[in-house]
Amino acid sequence: MGKVADLHVHTDVSDGTFSPKKVVGLAKLEGLDAIAITDHDTCAAITPAIIIAKDMDIEIIPGVELTAELEDGEIHILGYFIDWQDSSFIKKLEELCRVREERAKEILRRLSEQGIDLKYEDLLEIVGSRTGSVGRLHIANLLYKKGKVACIREAFTKYIGNDSPAYVKKFKLSPKEAVDMIKAVGGVSVLAHPKTINIETKPLKDIVKMLAGEGIQGIEAYHSDHNNRESSEFKKLASEYGLLITGGSDCHGLGKKEVLLGKVKVPYELVEKLRDAAIAR
Ligand code: AMP
Ligand code: FE
Ligand code: FE
Ligand code: ZN
């Protein structure tokens, strides 16, 4: 069998629950030859993962997952082969993480208006000491732990999902700003999990067209939420706009209760195309 990769993996420096060490070990067990670490708004896991992976014959692709706001919803943009040590990039990520803390407090305030009182200290316990990037998945897990919801999904549909009463936007990073931020550190930008984009006023095709115009270079066609038919559709969309395709599990450790690492394996050829696109820029 040819080499395979999982190009969308979170660690416990954002809302995954596994340390970089655990992620690399699991990736090896899953038979992966390469993984991209793509935490939300932080690259703190990349150097530790590279150090651990060195002796294990597994390649770590430096990545990140940014959120961009549209008028009517949000999209996630992945960055690959970025210079994660660039100091002005790190500064920007730190600012995004600081805003995340304020936002988490605001979400808890809104939840209390819904009659659900959660303490910020209890949230910090879920978040753990290694995390710099607090997010809604942590809050979903706190709601679950406190018995306020029966599952993680319910936390989103009832309380903190994009159309729910306690949803709070993060910040105004436009798609162009997210793409440019990745470009500035030599990376390739990719539209993450197109299936989860649910913007009533705009069909996906229009969004992809707009993003292609703003310099996005790929679409995540394969993802643990996509079935075969959907992946084919996204591949078609990518070829229509001359975009690369990628794929990954979007594993969050036990954050989503099911460990997804290695559930999506893409041929290593896609990694080579991504790398070529990064070098060409
Ligand atoms: P944030 O970046 O803080 O807005 O949180 C986004 C996180 O919430 C990502 O890890 C998503 O995968 C997760 N998420 C969003 N919607 C859902 C959902 N309906 N069920 C489970 N996780 C979700
Ligand atoms: Fe996440
Ligand atoms: Fe995402
Ligand atoms: Zn993700």
Side-chain angles (χ1 to χ4, degrees):
M1 205 175 92
K3 282 168 72 174
V4 287
D6 182 338
L7 296 175
H8 193 156
V9 182
H10 293 268
T11 76
D12 62 359
V13 306
S14 72
D15 57 357
T17 62
F18 295 158
S19 67
K21 187 176 176 183
K22 169 116 185 166
V23 163
V24 173
L26 256 178
K28 191 74 201 167
L29 281 177
E30 285 291 332
L32 290 158
D33 300 284
I35 56 169
I37 305 270
T38 53
D39 280 304
H40 302 280
D41 302 332
T42 173
C43 290
I46 292 170
T47 300
I50 287 174
I51 292 169
I52 293 146
K54 232 183 193 141
D55 302 323
M56 295 177 76
D57 195 27
I58 179 161
E59 179 185 349
I60 305 298
I61 295 152
V64 71
E65 183 172 18
L66 302 176
T67 308
E69 300 290 349
L70 303 184
E71 279 143 53
D72 219 7
E74 62 170 57
I75 57 170
H76 292 183
I77 296 180
L78 295 156
Y80 292 108
F81 290 107
I82 49 172
D83 176 4
W84 75 100
Q85 286 160 320
D86 179 278
S87 59
S88 81
F89 182 68
I90 293 174
K91 252 208 193 112
K92 280 183 202 152
L93 293 180
E94 281 169 354
E95 171 63 11
L96 296 178
C97 287
R98 200 191 52 72
V99 175
R100 276 179 170 277
E101 282 173 31
E102 296 307 311
R103 172 200 186 223
K105 287 176 188 161
E106 178 61 24
I107 292 176
L108 295 194
R109 263 193 295 278
R110 297 216 189 162
L111 281 170
S112 78
E113 286 168 14
Q114 305 279 311
I116 294 187
D117 283 306
L118 300 174
K119 290 197 199 73
Y120 193 66
E121 299 81 74
D122 290 341
L123 180 62
L124 290 182
E125 213 169 286
I126 300 252
V127 164
S129 59
R130 295 169 39 78
T131 311
S133 175
V134 182
R136 281 184 287 163
L137 193 56
H138 297 115
I139 296 172
N141 273 284
L142 181 58
L143 284 162
Y144 178 74
K145 185 178 164 191
K146 295 289 179 190
K148 307 293 183 190
V149 292
C151 64
I152 299 299
R153 193 156 290 275
E154 188 187 332
F156 281 90
T157 49
K158 217 163 159 182
Y159 297 113
I160 57 175
N162 294 15
D163 299 316
S164 307
Y167 173 65
V168 178
K169 279 189 177 185
K170 254 171 281 189
F171 29 67
K172 293 255 184 295
L173 202 55
S174 71
K176 174 98 169 57
E177 283 169 322
V179 168
D180 286 348
M181 202 173 142
I182 291 163
K183 206 190 265 181
V185 286
V188 180
S189 52
V190 171
L191 176 64
H193 42 64
K195 185 181 176 178
T196 61
I197 301 171
N198 193 3
I199 297 175
E200 275 177 19
T201 50
K202 256 200 173 119
L204 180 63
K205 201 175 152 78
D206 291 3
I207 293 172
V208 170
K209 188 176 176 187
M210 177 271 291
L211 291 171
E214 293 187 336
I216 210 152
Q217 289 166 282
I219 294 183
E220 188 177 46
Y222 303 101
H223 183 277
S224 40
D225 283 343
H226 300 168
N227 62 33
N228 290 342
R229 188 182 51 75
E230 288 159 345
S231 291
S232 303
E233 269 170 35
F234 299 139
K235 272 171 73 174
K236 221 173 98 195
L237 201 53
S239 88
E240 229 169 284
Y241 289 96
L243 302 172
L244 297 168
I245 52 167
T246 69
S249 64
D250 207 356
C251 176
H252 283 74
L254 290 165
K256 293 184 179 179
K257 304 304 166 205
E258 187 194 354
V259 179
L260 297 169
L261 195 80
K263 295 287 175 283
V264 175
K265 289 178 175 152
V266 298
Y268 191 75
E269 190 196 316
L270 298 187
V271 176
E272 284 165 345
K273 287 190 174 152
L274 267 184
R275 197 197 325 270
D276 290 348
I279 292 166
R281 287 238 345 282

